[in-house]
DNA sequence: GACCGAAGCGAACAGTGTTCGTTACGTACA
DNA sequence: TGTACGTAACGAACACTGTTCGCTTCGGTC
Protein backbone atom coordinates (compact mmCIF):
# COMPACT_ATOMS: atom_id res chain seq x y z
CA UNK A 1 0.00 0.00 0.00
CA UNK A 2 1.90 3.00 1.24
CA UNK A 3 5.22 1.20 1.61
CA UNK A 4 6.91 0.26 -1.63
CA UNK A 5 7.08 -3.49 -2.22
CA UNK A 6 10.75 -3.97 -1.44
CA UNK A 7 12.03 -7.46 -0.85
CA UNK A 8 12.28 -8.30 2.80
CA UNK A 9 15.76 -9.54 2.19
CA UNK A 10 16.85 -6.63 0.00
CA UNK A 11 19.98 -5.82 1.94
CA UNK A 12 23.15 -7.39 0.62
CA UNK A 13 23.72 -11.00 1.61
CA UNK A 14 21.82 -11.05 4.85
CA UNK A 15 22.28 -14.48 6.38
CA UNK A 16 19.03 -16.40 6.74
CA UNK A 17 17.77 -17.29 10.18
CA UNK A 18 18.63 -20.70 11.55
CA UNK A 19 19.01 -22.36 14.91
CA UNK A 20 22.76 -22.35 14.59
CA UNK A 21 23.14 -18.70 13.72
CA UNK A 22 20.86 -17.78 16.62
CA UNK A 23 22.89 -19.86 19.05
CA UNK A 24 26.14 -18.40 17.78
CA UNK A 25 24.79 -14.86 18.05
CA UNK A 26 23.68 -15.61 21.59
CA UNK A 27 27.19 -16.70 22.53
CA UNK A 28 28.61 -13.59 20.93
CA UNK A 29 26.37 -11.33 22.98
CA UNK A 30 27.05 -13.30 26.15
CA UNK A 31 30.80 -12.95 25.71
CA UNK A 32 30.68 -9.33 24.66
CA UNK A 33 28.13 -7.84 27.06
CA UNK A 34 27.34 -10.42 29.71
CA UNK A 35 24.36 -12.42 30.88
CA UNK A 36 22.05 -9.47 31.48
CA UNK A 37 22.41 -8.41 27.87
CA UNK A 38 21.32 -11.81 26.61
CA UNK A 39 17.68 -11.06 25.87
CA UNK A 40 15.58 -12.34 23.04
CA UNK A 41 15.16 -8.80 21.80
CA UNK A 42 18.89 -8.25 21.77
CA UNK A 43 19.55 -11.44 19.84
CA UNK A 44 16.85 -10.50 17.37
CA UNK A 45 18.21 -6.99 16.91
CA UNK A 46 21.69 -8.38 16.28
CA UNK A 47 20.16 -10.48 13.51
CA UNK A 48 18.20 -7.51 12.22
CA UNK A 49 14.79 -8.98 12.93
CA UNK A 50 12.11 -9.03 15.61
CA UNK A 51 11.98 -11.25 18.68
CA UNK A 52 9.04 -13.26 17.39
CA UNK A 53 11.10 -14.62 14.52
CA UNK A 54 13.45 -16.46 16.87
CA UNK A 55 10.70 -18.69 18.18
CA UNK A 56 10.60 -20.62 14.93
CA UNK A 57 13.99 -22.12 15.75
CA UNK A 58 14.12 -21.88 19.52
CA UNK A 59 11.42 -22.95 21.94
CA UNK A 60 12.20 -20.29 24.52
CA UNK A 61 15.08 -18.61 26.32
CA UNK A 62 15.95 -21.72 28.33
CA UNK A 63 16.11 -23.78 25.17
CA UNK A 64 18.41 -21.20 23.63
CA UNK A 65 20.72 -21.26 26.62
CA UNK A 66 20.84 -25.05 26.63
CA UNK A 67 21.81 -24.99 22.97
CA UNK A 68 24.45 -22.37 23.71
CA UNK A 69 25.88 -24.56 26.45
CA UNK A 70 26.20 -27.49 24.10
CA UNK A 71 27.78 -25.30 21.47
CA UNK A 72 30.30 -24.08 24.05
CA UNK A 73 31.14 -27.68 24.94
CA UNK A 74 31.80 -28.61 21.32
CA UNK A 75 35.63 -28.35 21.39
CA UNK A 76 35.98 -30.25 24.67
CA UNK A 77 35.75 -33.86 23.44
CA UNK A 78 38.41 -33.09 20.84
CA UNK A 79 41.01 -31.75 23.26
CA UNK A 80 44.27 -33.39 22.30
CA UNK A 81 45.38 -35.50 25.26
CA UNK A 82 49.00 -35.18 26.35
CA UNK A 83 50.74 -37.82 24.28
CA UNK A 84 51.86 -41.05 25.83
CA UNK A 85 50.16 -40.46 29.14
CA UNK A 86 47.89 -42.62 31.22
CA UNK A 87 44.14 -42.43 31.69
CA UNK A 88 44.50 -40.33 34.82
CA UNK A 89 46.28 -37.49 33.06
CA UNK A 90 43.85 -37.63 30.16
CA UNK A 91 40.84 -37.51 32.48
CA UNK A 92 42.44 -34.60 34.26
CA UNK A 93 42.91 -32.74 30.98
CA UNK A 94 39.33 -33.46 29.95
CA UNK A 95 37.99 -32.07 33.21
CA UNK A 96 40.11 -28.94 32.93
CA UNK A 97 38.91 -28.40 29.36
CA UNK A 98 35.27 -28.82 30.38
CA UNK A 99 35.61 -26.36 33.26
CA UNK A 100 37.42 -23.90 31.04
CA UNK A 101 34.84 -24.12 28.27
CA UNK A 102 31.89 -23.61 30.61
CA UNK A 103 33.43 -20.85 32.67
CA UNK A 104 34.37 -18.82 29.63
CA UNK A 105 30.72 -17.88 29.06
CA UNK A 106 28.98 -16.22 31.98
CA UNK A 107 25.99 -18.08 33.30
CA UNK A 108 26.16 -21.09 31.03
CA UNK A 109 27.51 -23.40 33.71
CA UNK A 110 24.41 -22.76 35.79
CA UNK A 111 22.39 -24.29 32.96
CA UNK A 112 24.38 -27.50 33.23
CA UNK A 113 23.55 -27.75 36.93
CA UNK A 114 19.85 -27.67 36.29
CA UNK A 115 19.29 -30.58 33.96
CA UNK A 116 20.50 -34.06 33.12
CA UNK A 117 22.81 -33.51 30.16
CA UNK A 118 21.21 -34.53 26.88
CA UNK A 119 23.05 -32.31 24.42
CA UNK A 120 25.23 -33.83 21.75
CA UNK A 121 28.54 -32.50 22.97
CA UNK A 122 27.78 -32.91 26.65
CA UNK A 123 27.09 -36.58 25.99
CA UNK A 124 30.37 -36.90 24.10
CA UNK A 125 32.21 -35.46 27.09
CA UNK A 126 30.49 -37.93 29.37
CA UNK A 127 31.28 -40.77 27.00
CA UNK A 128 34.97 -39.87 27.04
CA UNK A 129 34.94 -39.69 30.81
CA UNK A 130 33.34 -43.10 31.10
CA UNK A 131 35.87 -44.61 28.73
CA UNK A 132 38.75 -43.23 30.75
CA UNK A 133 37.27 -44.39 34.04
CA UNK A 134 36.81 -47.90 32.66
CA UNK A 135 40.39 -47.77 31.38
CA UNK A 136 41.33 -47.03 34.98
CA UNK A 137 39.83 -50.34 36.02
CA UNK A 138 36.68 -49.18 37.75
CA UNK A 139 33.61 -51.39 37.81
CA UNK A 140 30.52 -50.26 35.90
CA UNK A 141 28.57 -48.87 38.84
CA UNK A 142 31.46 -46.91 40.28
CA UNK A 143 32.27 -45.51 36.85
CA UNK A 144 28.66 -44.46 36.35
CA UNK A 145 28.44 -42.73 39.71
CA UNK A 146 31.87 -41.19 39.22
CA UNK A 147 30.94 -39.56 35.92
CA UNK A 148 27.92 -38.02 37.61
CA UNK A 149 30.12 -36.59 40.31
CA UNK A 150 32.79 -35.36 37.91
CA UNK A 151 30.32 -33.66 35.62
CA UNK A 152 28.61 -32.02 38.57
CA UNK A 153 31.93 -30.78 39.85
CA UNK A 154 32.93 -29.42 36.47
CA UNK A 155 29.69 -27.46 36.20
CA UNK A 156 29.95 -26.17 39.76
CA UNK A 157 33.59 -25.17 39.46
CA UNK A 158 32.84 -23.38 36.22
CA UNK A 159 29.83 -21.61 37.71
CA UNK A 160 31.85 -20.39 40.66
CA UNK A 161 34.74 -19.26 38.52
CA UNK A 162 32.64 -17.43 35.95
CA UNK A 163 30.70 -15.70 38.71
CA UNK A 164 33.90 -14.30 40.19
CA UNK A 165 35.24 -13.40 36.79
CA UNK A 166 32.29 -11.26 35.87
CA UNK A 167 30.63 -9.95 39.00
CA UNK A 168 33.68 -8.15 40.22
CA UNK A 169 35.95 -6.73 37.59
CA UNK A 170 38.47 -9.43 38.34
CA UNK A 171 38.82 -12.23 40.81
CA UNK A 172 41.53 -10.41 42.75
CA UNK A 173 39.13 -7.66 43.78
CA UNK A 174 36.36 -10.02 44.86
CA UNK A 175 38.71 -12.12 46.96
CA UNK A 176 40.27 -9.05 48.54
CA UNK A 177 36.84 -7.76 49.52
CA UNK A 178 35.89 -11.09 51.06
CA UNK A 179 39.24 -11.22 52.85
CA UNK A 180 38.59 -7.83 54.40
CA UNK A 181 35.12 -8.96 55.47
CA UNK A 182 36.57 -12.06 57.10
CA UNK A 183 39.18 -9.99 58.89
CA UNK A 184 36.45 -8.12 60.72
CA UNK A 185 34.68 -11.23 62.00
CA UNK A 186 34.48 -11.86 65.76
CA UNK A 187 36.88 -14.69 66.64
CA UNK A 188 34.72 -16.00 69.47
CA UNK A 189 31.86 -16.74 67.08
CA UNK A 190 33.96 -17.98 64.15
CA UNK A 191 37.15 -19.32 65.75
CA UNK A 192 38.29 -21.51 62.89
CA UNK A 193 37.42 -19.14 60.07
CA UNK A 194 39.34 -16.30 61.68
CA UNK A 195 42.26 -18.52 62.68
CA UNK A 196 42.61 -19.97 59.20
CA UNK A 197 41.96 -16.77 57.28
CA UNK A 198 45.49 -16.87 55.89
CA UNK A 199 45.27 -20.29 54.24
CA UNK A 200 41.65 -19.67 53.22
CA UNK A 201 42.61 -16.73 51.06
CA UNK A 202 46.11 -17.78 50.06
CA UNK A 203 46.56 -18.26 46.34
CA UNK A 204 47.14 -21.72 44.92
CA UNK A 205 46.01 -24.06 42.19
CA UNK A 206 42.80 -25.24 43.80
CA UNK A 207 41.20 -26.34 40.55
CA UNK A 208 43.91 -28.89 39.89
CA UNK A 209 43.85 -30.01 43.50
CA UNK A 210 40.07 -30.41 43.43
CA UNK A 211 40.19 -32.70 40.42
CA UNK A 212 42.93 -34.74 42.07
CA UNK A 213 40.84 -35.08 45.21
CA UNK A 214 37.94 -36.41 43.17
CA UNK A 215 40.01 -38.92 41.23
CA UNK A 216 41.83 -40.14 44.33
CA UNK A 217 38.55 -40.42 46.20
CA UNK A 218 36.83 -42.26 43.38
CA UNK A 219 39.67 -44.78 43.17
CA UNK A 220 39.35 -45.55 46.86
CA UNK A 221 35.58 -45.55 47.21
CA UNK A 222 33.77 -48.37 45.42
CA UNK A 223 30.10 -47.64 44.79
CA UNK A 224 27.23 -49.43 46.45
CA UNK B 1 -9.17 14.41 50.98
CA UNK B 2 -11.68 11.92 49.69
CA UNK B 3 -10.39 8.90 51.58
CA UNK B 4 -11.19 8.83 55.26
CA UNK B 5 -8.10 9.25 57.46
CA UNK B 6 -7.86 5.67 58.61
CA UNK B 7 -4.65 4.48 60.12
CA UNK B 8 -2.45 2.80 57.56
CA UNK B 9 -2.11 -0.08 59.93
CA UNK B 10 -5.75 -0.13 60.97
CA UNK B 11 -6.31 -3.80 60.38
CA UNK B 12 -6.00 -5.97 63.44
CA UNK B 13 -2.49 -6.76 64.52
CA UNK B 14 -0.83 -6.41 61.17
CA UNK B 15 2.82 -7.24 61.66
CA UNK B 16 5.16 -4.35 60.94
CA UNK B 17 7.58 -4.63 58.09
CA UNK B 18 11.08 -5.84 58.87
CA UNK B 19 13.93 -7.54 57.08
CA UNK B 20 13.20 -10.79 58.85
CA UNK B 21 9.50 -10.93 58.05
CA UNK B 22 10.27 -10.14 54.41
CA UNK B 23 12.84 -12.94 54.24
CA UNK B 24 10.48 -15.36 55.90
CA UNK B 25 7.67 -14.44 53.54
CA UNK B 26 10.01 -14.94 50.62
CA UNK B 27 10.83 -18.44 51.79
CA UNK B 28 7.13 -19.18 52.23
CA UNK B 29 6.36 -18.15 48.67
CA UNK B 30 9.34 -20.05 47.32
CA UNK B 31 8.24 -23.23 49.03
CA UNK B 32 4.60 -22.83 48.16
CA UNK B 33 4.71 -21.63 44.55
CA UNK B 34 8.26 -21.98 43.30
CA UNK B 35 11.02 -19.72 42.09
CA UNK B 36 9.02 -18.04 39.33
CA UNK B 37 6.48 -16.83 41.85
CA UNK B 38 9.14 -15.17 43.97
CA UNK B 39 8.75 -11.60 42.75
CA UNK B 40 9.03 -8.42 44.73
CA UNK B 41 5.41 -7.66 43.95
CA UNK B 42 4.31 -11.04 45.23
CA UNK B 43 6.22 -10.66 48.47
CA UNK B 44 4.74 -7.19 48.90
CA UNK B 45 1.22 -8.40 48.23
CA UNK B 46 1.63 -11.19 50.75
CA UNK B 47 2.56 -8.52 53.30
CA UNK B 48 -0.34 -6.34 52.18
CA UNK B 49 1.82 -3.51 50.90
CA UNK B 50 3.44 -2.25 47.72
CA UNK B 51 6.74 -3.36 46.24
CA UNK B 52 8.47 -0.05 47.00
CA UNK B 53 8.13 -0.63 50.73
CA UNK B 54 10.39 -3.66 50.63
CA UNK B 55 13.38 -1.65 49.49
CA UNK B 56 13.72 -0.05 52.90
CA UNK B 57 14.88 -3.37 54.31
CA UNK B 58 16.25 -5.15 51.25
CA UNK B 59 18.66 -3.69 48.72
CA UNK B 60 17.29 -5.66 45.76
CA UNK B 61 16.09 -9.08 44.75
CA UNK B 62 19.56 -10.62 44.91
CA UNK B 63 20.05 -9.30 48.40
CA UNK B 64 16.72 -10.80 49.39
CA UNK B 65 17.66 -14.20 47.99
CA UNK B 66 21.02 -14.12 49.73
CA UNK B 67 19.26 -13.39 53.00
CA UNK B 68 16.81 -16.21 52.30
CA UNK B 69 19.70 -18.59 51.71
CA UNK B 70 21.26 -17.70 55.01
CA UNK B 71 17.94 -18.07 56.76
CA UNK B 72 17.54 -21.51 55.22
CA UNK B 73 20.99 -22.50 56.48
CA UNK B 74 20.17 -21.43 60.03
CA UNK B 75 19.37 -24.88 61.45
CA UNK B 76 22.39 -26.56 59.86
CA UNK B 77 25.13 -25.62 62.33
CA UNK B 78 22.95 -26.89 65.17
CA UNK B 79 22.33 -30.34 63.76
CA UNK B 80 22.88 -32.71 66.60
CA UNK B 81 25.82 -34.91 65.70
CA UNK B 82 25.42 -38.65 66.21
CA UNK B 83 26.65 -39.08 69.76
CA UNK B 84 30.01 -40.64 70.44
CA UNK B 85 31.13 -40.69 66.84
CA UNK B 86 34.29 -39.49 65.17
CA UNK B 87 34.93 -36.35 63.16
CA UNK B 88 34.29 -38.17 59.89
CA UNK B 89 30.73 -39.11 60.76
CA UNK B 90 30.02 -35.65 62.09
CA UNK B 91 31.38 -34.01 58.96
CA UNK B 92 29.26 -36.37 56.91
CA UNK B 93 26.14 -35.43 58.87
CA UNK B 94 26.94 -31.73 58.51
CA UNK B 95 27.28 -32.05 54.74
CA UNK B 96 24.02 -33.96 54.47
CA UNK B 97 22.24 -31.33 56.54
CA UNK B 98 23.61 -28.51 54.40
CA UNK B 99 22.59 -30.20 51.17
CA UNK B 100 19.17 -30.97 52.56
CA UNK B 101 18.60 -27.42 53.77
CA UNK B 102 19.61 -25.83 50.49
CA UNK B 103 17.79 -28.25 48.24
CA UNK B 104 14.53 -27.84 50.12
CA UNK B 105 14.04 -24.38 48.62
CA UNK B 106 14.10 -24.18 44.83
CA UNK B 107 16.80 -21.99 43.39
CA UNK B 108 18.49 -21.02 46.64
CA UNK B 109 21.47 -23.29 46.11
CA UNK B 110 22.26 -21.45 42.89
CA UNK B 111 22.77 -18.33 44.99
CA UNK B 112 25.44 -20.08 47.03
CA UNK B 113 27.35 -20.95 43.87
CA UNK B 114 27.62 -17.35 42.79
CA UNK B 115 29.32 -15.70 45.74
CA UNK B 116 31.87 -16.25 48.45
CA UNK B 117 29.74 -17.04 51.50
CA UNK B 118 29.53 -14.11 53.90
CA UNK B 119 26.23 -14.78 55.61
CA UNK B 120 26.09 -15.48 59.31
CA UNK B 121 24.88 -19.05 59.12
CA UNK B 122 26.95 -19.97 56.08
CA UNK B 123 30.05 -18.89 57.96
CA UNK B 124 29.00 -20.95 60.96
CA UNK B 125 28.68 -24.01 58.72
CA UNK B 126 32.12 -23.35 57.31
CA UNK B 127 33.53 -22.87 60.78
CA UNK B 128 32.14 -26.22 61.88
CA UNK B 129 33.57 -27.88 58.80
CA UNK B 130 37.00 -26.44 59.42
CA UNK B 131 36.95 -27.56 63.03
CA UNK B 132 36.09 -31.11 62.01
CA UNK B 133 38.76 -31.19 59.31
CA UNK B 134 41.39 -29.98 61.77
CA UNK B 135 40.16 -32.63 64.21
CA UNK B 136 40.86 -35.10 61.43
CA UNK B 137 44.49 -34.07 61.48
CA UNK B 138 44.70 -32.06 58.27
CA UNK B 139 47.17 -29.25 57.93
CA UNK B 140 45.88 -25.69 57.65
CA UNK B 141 46.19 -25.32 53.90
CA UNK B 142 44.57 -28.64 53.08
CA UNK B 143 41.74 -27.90 55.52
CA UNK B 144 41.19 -24.50 53.92
CA UNK B 145 41.07 -25.87 50.40
CA UNK B 146 38.94 -28.79 51.52
CA UNK B 147 36.25 -26.58 53.01
CA UNK B 148 36.07 -24.70 49.74
CA UNK B 149 35.59 -27.93 47.87
CA UNK B 150 33.05 -29.31 50.33
CA UNK B 151 30.95 -26.16 50.36
CA UNK B 152 31.02 -26.02 46.59
CA UNK B 153 29.90 -29.62 46.38
CA UNK B 154 27.09 -29.06 48.86
CA UNK B 155 25.77 -26.15 46.86
CA UNK B 156 26.07 -28.01 43.57
CA UNK B 157 24.46 -31.18 44.85
CA UNK B 158 21.62 -29.16 46.32
CA UNK B 159 21.15 -27.21 43.10
CA UNK B 160 20.97 -30.38 41.06
CA UNK B 161 18.59 -32.07 43.44
CA UNK B 162 16.23 -29.14 43.79
CA UNK B 163 16.14 -28.71 40.02
CA UNK B 164 14.99 -32.28 39.57
CA UNK B 165 12.55 -32.00 42.42
CA UNK B 166 10.72 -29.07 40.94
CA UNK B 167 11.13 -29.00 37.18
CA UNK B 168 9.50 -32.34 36.67
CA UNK B 169 6.76 -33.25 39.10
CA UNK B 170 9.09 -35.69 40.78
CA UNK B 171 12.55 -37.00 40.25
CA UNK B 172 11.27 -40.36 39.05
CA UNK B 173 9.64 -38.82 35.99
CA UNK B 174 12.67 -36.73 35.05
CA UNK B 175 15.04 -39.68 35.33
CA UNK B 176 12.69 -41.93 33.37
CA UNK B 177 12.51 -39.37 30.56
CA UNK B 178 16.29 -39.07 30.43
CA UNK B 179 16.61 -42.85 30.49
CA UNK B 180 14.34 -43.13 27.47
CA UNK B 181 16.35 -40.45 25.70
CA UNK B 182 19.58 -42.34 26.39
CA UNK B 183 18.06 -45.57 25.15
CA UNK B 184 17.56 -44.03 21.71
CA UNK B 185 21.18 -42.90 21.35
CA UNK B 186 23.33 -44.36 18.57
CA UNK B 187 25.84 -46.78 20.15
CA UNK B 188 28.54 -46.04 17.58
CA UNK B 189 28.66 -42.39 18.59
CA UNK B 190 28.21 -42.90 22.33
CA UNK B 191 29.57 -46.39 23.01
CA UNK B 192 30.16 -46.04 26.72
CA UNK B 193 27.00 -44.10 27.54
CA UNK B 194 24.82 -46.65 25.81
CA UNK B 195 26.76 -49.60 27.23
CA UNK B 196 26.55 -48.29 30.77
CA UNK B 197 23.00 -47.00 30.59
CA UNK B 198 21.94 -49.53 33.20
CA UNK B 199 24.34 -48.44 35.95
CA UNK B 200 23.96 -44.78 34.96
CA UNK B 201 20.27 -44.81 35.79
CA UNK B 202 20.22 -47.44 38.49
CA UNK B 203 19.04 -46.15 41.84
CA UNK B 204 21.44 -45.89 44.74
CA UNK B 205 22.59 -43.55 47.46
CA UNK B 206 24.84 -41.34 45.35
CA UNK B 207 24.74 -38.42 47.76
CA UNK B 208 26.29 -40.44 50.55
CA UNK B 209 28.83 -41.93 48.15
CA UNK B 210 29.77 -38.52 46.81
CA UNK B 211 30.52 -37.17 50.26
CA UNK B 212 32.60 -40.26 51.01
CA UNK B 213 34.56 -39.77 47.82
CA UNK B 214 35.34 -36.21 48.79
CA UNK B 215 36.45 -37.08 52.32
CA UNK B 216 38.55 -40.02 51.14
CA UNK B 217 40.12 -37.90 48.46
CA UNK B 218 40.85 -35.02 50.79
CA UNK B 219 42.55 -37.34 53.27
CA UNK B 220 44.86 -38.67 50.56
CA UNK B 221 45.59 -35.44 48.69
CA UNK B 222 47.66 -32.89 50.61
CA UNK B 223 47.33 -29.36 49.25
CA UNK B 224 50.09 -27.47 47.50
C1' DG C 1 1.58 21.90 70.53
C1' DA C 2 5.07 22.18 66.72
C1' DC C 3 8.49 19.84 64.45
C1' DC C 4 11.20 16.26 62.00
C1' DG C 5 13.42 12.17 60.44
C1' DA C 6 12.10 8.12 58.56
C1' DA C 7 8.88 4.44 57.25
C1' DG C 8 5.51 3.49 53.93
C1' DC C 9 3.64 3.71 49.56
C1' DG C 10 1.23 5.18 44.69
C1' DA C 11 2.55 5.74 40.35
C1' DA C 12 5.52 5.43 36.84
C1' DC C 13 9.70 3.95 33.94
C1' DA C 14 12.06 1.06 31.06
C1' DG C 15 12.41 -2.88 30.09
C1' DT C 16 11.31 -8.50 29.87
C1' DG C 17 9.60 -13.24 27.56
C1' DT C 18 6.18 -14.83 24.82
C1' DT C 19 2.01 -15.15 21.67
C1' DC C 20 -1.35 -13.75 18.13
C1' DG C 21 -2.78 -12.91 13.65
C1' DT C 22 -1.09 -11.27 9.36
C1' DT C 23 2.09 -10.63 5.63
C1' DA C 24 5.40 -11.96 2.08
C1' DC C 25 8.14 -15.43 0.10
C1' DG C 26 10.04 -19.48 -2.68
C1' DT C 27 8.45 -23.42 -4.53
C1' DA C 28 5.39 -26.90 -6.82
C1' DC C 29 2.08 -27.64 -9.65
C1' DA C 30 -1.48 -26.80 -13.34
C1' DT D 1 2.96 -18.46 -17.65
C1' DG D 2 -0.13 -18.16 -13.72
C1' DT D 3 -1.64 -19.55 -9.33
C1' DA D 4 -2.16 -21.75 -5.02
C1' DC D 5 0.17 -23.18 -0.77
C1' DG D 6 2.95 -24.12 3.31
C1' DT D 7 5.76 -21.71 6.13
C1' DA D 8 9.31 -18.42 7.55
C1' DA D 9 9.17 -13.79 9.13
C1' DC D 10 7.23 -10.21 11.44
C1' DG D 11 4.58 -5.95 13.92
C1' DA D 12 2.10 -5.21 17.66
C1' DA D 13 0.44 -6.29 21.80
C1' DC D 14 -0.09 -8.64 26.51
C1' DA D 15 0.98 -9.36 31.04
C1' DC D 16 4.42 -9.06 33.52
C1' DT D 17 9.19 -7.74 35.85
C1' DG D 18 12.72 -4.96 39.17
C1' DT D 19 13.48 -0.61 40.65
C1' DT D 20 13.10 4.56 41.59
C1' DC D 21 10.98 9.11 42.53
C1' DG D 22 8.74 12.00 45.40
C1' DC D 23 4.79 12.51 48.23
C1' DT D 24 2.16 11.26 52.52
C1' DT D 25 1.71 9.94 57.10
C1' DC D 26 3.41 8.30 61.35
C1' DG D 27 5.66 8.06 66.08
C1' DG D 28 8.57 10.18 69.06
C1' DT D 29 11.21 14.42 70.78
C1' DC D 30 12.00 19.16 71.96
Amino acid sequence: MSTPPVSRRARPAKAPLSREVIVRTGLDILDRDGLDALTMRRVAKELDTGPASLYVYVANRDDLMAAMLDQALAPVPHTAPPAGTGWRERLHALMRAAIEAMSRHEGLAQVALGAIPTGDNALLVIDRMLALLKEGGLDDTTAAWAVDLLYLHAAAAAAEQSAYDTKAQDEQTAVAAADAHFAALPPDRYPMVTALRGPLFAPGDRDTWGIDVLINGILRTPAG
Side-chain angles (χ1 to χ4, degrees), chain A residues 66-144:
Chain A
M68 287 167 59
L69 168 66
D70 213 62
Q71 177 75 235
L73 282 176
V76 176
H78 309 105
T79 46
T85 51
W87 66 272
R88 204 186 206 280
E89 282 73 27
R90 279 178 285 150
L91 179 57
H92 210 294
L94 191 63
M95 283 291 290
R96 280 202 310 271
I99 294 174
E100 214 275 321
M102 288 170 147
S103 67
R104 179 150 46 204
H105 314 279
E106 180 192 358
L108 273 198
Q110 305 255 356
V111 176
L113 282 167
I116 297 175
T118 54
D120 210 85
N121 293 304
L123 287 178
L124 280 179
V125 172
I126 286 176
D127 207 77
R128 298 286 178 279
M129 283 186 185
L130 278 174
L132 291 169
L133 289 167
K134 285 303 290 179
E135 196 178 329
L138 272 68
D139 67 284
D140 286 2
T141 301
T142 305

Side-chain angles (χ1 to χ4, degrees), chain A residues 138-154:
Chain A
L138 272 68
D139 67 284
D140 286 2
T141 301
T142 305
W145 292 18
V147 79
D148 260 23
L149 186 60
L150 288 170
Y151 189 81
L152 181 69
H153 175 77

Side-chain angles (χ1 to χ4, degrees), chain A residues 7-8 38 54 56 65 67 72 86 124 132 135 140 142 176 182 200 202 223:
Chain A
S7 164
R8 196 179 302 183
L38 185 74
L54 305 178
V56 177
M65 291 201 67
L124 280 179
L132 291 169
E135 196 178 329
D140 286 2
T142 305
F182 275 45
L200 276 171

Side-chain angles (χ1 to χ4, degrees), chain A residues 26-35 38 68 105-106 108:
Chain A
L27 278 175
D28 274 2
I29 295 170
L30 191 64
D31 293 346
R32 225 172 326 124
D33 299 325
L35 185 60
L38 185 74
M68 287 167 59
H105 314 279
E106 180 192 358
L108 273 198

